[in-house]
Amino acid sequence: MKLIPIPTNRGSVIPFTSWVELGSSIKQLYNQPLHYLTDVQLKKMDQERLGAEDMDVRLDTIIHPTQAEATIWLMEEVHRHTSSPHHLLQLWEVDSKYHAFIDAIFPKLE
């Protein structure tokens, strides 16, 4: 993952209702995978909204889409450059469905 560059040209505003949905849109738009830990964190951020007063409000009306996308890319950069493979292995041993969070998108490295 360290070899895959974080996109620097971000010109589109992506509408979204949840963090997971925004993550999926980013993967498609930039044809890049997201780190396992980023996917897990997006799911947790959506779960944290459950029961909130504004739970039914579109997330892109609460947080500007460009700020939300920048948040995901910052999180992604941290995960790509600082995650321990040993820590990931420990997480995967506990999570039998970890493969659901591993992206099948493999961009060409130049």
Side-chain angles (χ1 to χ4, degrees):
M1 293 289 299
K2 290 180 183 181
L3 299 176
I4 304 170
I6 300 291
T8 54
N9 298 330
R10 300 183 213 129
S12 20
V13 174
I14 305 169
F16 63 102
T17 57
S18 71
W19 287 105
V20 170
E21 180 187 345
L22 178 58
S24 294
S25 296
I26 285 173
K27 292 174 197 179
Q28 291 176 349
L29 182 64
Y30 298 102
N31 194 33
Q32 281 205 15
L34 289 179
H35 196 280
Y36 170 79
L37 293 176
T38 302
D39 281 327
V40 169
Q41 186 62 40
L42 295 177
K43 184 178 177 184
K44 285 181 184 178
M45 289 166 65
D46 280 341
Q47 289 172 343
E48 291 169 1
R49 289 191 73 205
L50 296 176
E53 193 174 287
D54 58 359
M55 184 176 86
D56 296 328
V57 177
R58 289 183 55 90
L59 200 50
D60 60 4
T61 63
I62 299 170
I63 301 168
H64 193 278
T66 54
Q67 288 179 318
E69 182 181 351
T71 299
I72 290 176
W73 284 121
L74 179 60
M75 191 181 340
E76 179 68 11
E77 187 171 20
V78 169
H79 289 145
R80 285 185 186 184
H81 293 287
T82 65
S83 297
S84 160
H86 302 290
H87 177 67
L88 287 171
L89 178 62
Q90 289 174 339
L91 292 174
W92 291 346
E93 286 176 340
V94 175
D95 182 5
S96 63
K97 296 184 181 185
Y98 74 90
H99 58 281
F101 291 105
I102 297 178
D103 293 317
I105 299 172
F106 296 104
K108 289 183 180 179
L109 299 176
E110 297 175 15

